[in-house]
């Protein structure tokens, strides 16, 4: 179950990755750190930001964005600067990639990364397009 997160944990993650998350993604995750989203083809579990505020939250967020991105980068065809934000349980990922004109800032655009082929498909202008009520 998703729950709010203190912005300081988002900032810590940005510092670890050397990238800034887009505003709409941060806004969504600040309110609900995790949750589910959907694309035309699949349902996805959003990776949370690692929340170190207490043991319960640490346990709930142990599959955090930094860890899942490190795991995804072990695949030969994962985008070098891609950040994994959600998984479908089958190896595929929803990712964010840096802006063309500012490599330290992630784009709002959400992409579907196929783990078997390395193909990228744009699935939303931003995270809000994928949120199901």
């Amino acid at each position: 179950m998703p729950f709010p997160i203190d912005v300081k944990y988002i900032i810590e993650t940005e510092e670890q990755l050397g990238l800034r998350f887009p505003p709409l993604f941060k806004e969504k995750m600040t309110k609900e750190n995790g949750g589910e989203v959907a694309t035309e083809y699949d349902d996805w579990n959003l990776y949370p930001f690692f929340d170190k505020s207490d043991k319960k939250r640490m346990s709930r967020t142990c599959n955090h964005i930094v860890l899942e991105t490190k795991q995804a980068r072990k695949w030969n065809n994962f985008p070098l600067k891609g950040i994994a934000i959600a998984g479908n349980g089958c190896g595929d990922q929803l990712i964010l990639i840096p802006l063309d004109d500012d490599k330290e800032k992630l784009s709002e655009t959400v992409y579907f990364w196929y783990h078997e082929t390395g193909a990228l498909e744009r699935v939303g202008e931003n995270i809000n397009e994928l949120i199901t009520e």
Side-chain angles (χ1 to χ4, degrees), residues 26-86:
K26 287 196 277 193
E27 181 182 307
K28 185 267 181 262
M29 297 297 276
T30 301
K31 294 176 188 171
E32 295 182 329
N33 187 25
E36 295 179 354
V37 294
T39 62
E40 180 180 348
Y41 307 109
D42 219 335
D43 293 326
W44 303 84
N45 291 311
L46 286 167
Y47 302 130
F49 288 97
F50 190 46
D51 185 338
K52 298 179 263 186
S53 59
D54 60 46
K55 287 183 180 184
K56 185 174 184 178
R57 287 188 179 220
M58 286 175 68
S59 174
R60 286 182 170 182
T61 62
C62 63
N63 65 321
H64 54 86
I65 290 171
V66 173
L67 176 68
E68 296 295 338
T69 296
K70 284 181 181 179
Q71 293 296 328
R73 286 182 175 167
K74 291 180 181 178
W75 290 81
N76 291 333
N77 55 10
F78 190 79
L80 183 63
K81 289 287 190 171
I83 301 298
I85 62 165

Side-chain angles (χ1 to χ4, degrees), residues 79-98:
L80 183 63
K81 289 287 190 171
I83 301 298
I85 62 165
N88 64 359
C90 297
D92 300 323
Q93 305 290 317
L94 290 183
I95 69 168
L96 299 175
I97 57 176

Side-chain angles (χ1 to χ4, degrees), residues 111-127:
Y111 293 90
F112 178 176
W113 174 74
Y114 296 84
H115 78 282
E116 292 178 356
T117 65
L120 283 179
E121 178 182 330
R122 187 172 156 263
V123 293
E125 282 292 316
N126 58 61
I127 194 66

Side-chain angles (χ1 to χ4, degrees), residues 2-18:
F3 45 87
I5 188 170
D6 190 312
V7 174
K8 71 180 182 180
Y9 296 117
I10 295 174
I11 293 168
E12 282 181 14
T13 300
E14 290 177 325
E15 290 171 354
Q16 283 182 298
L17 295 171

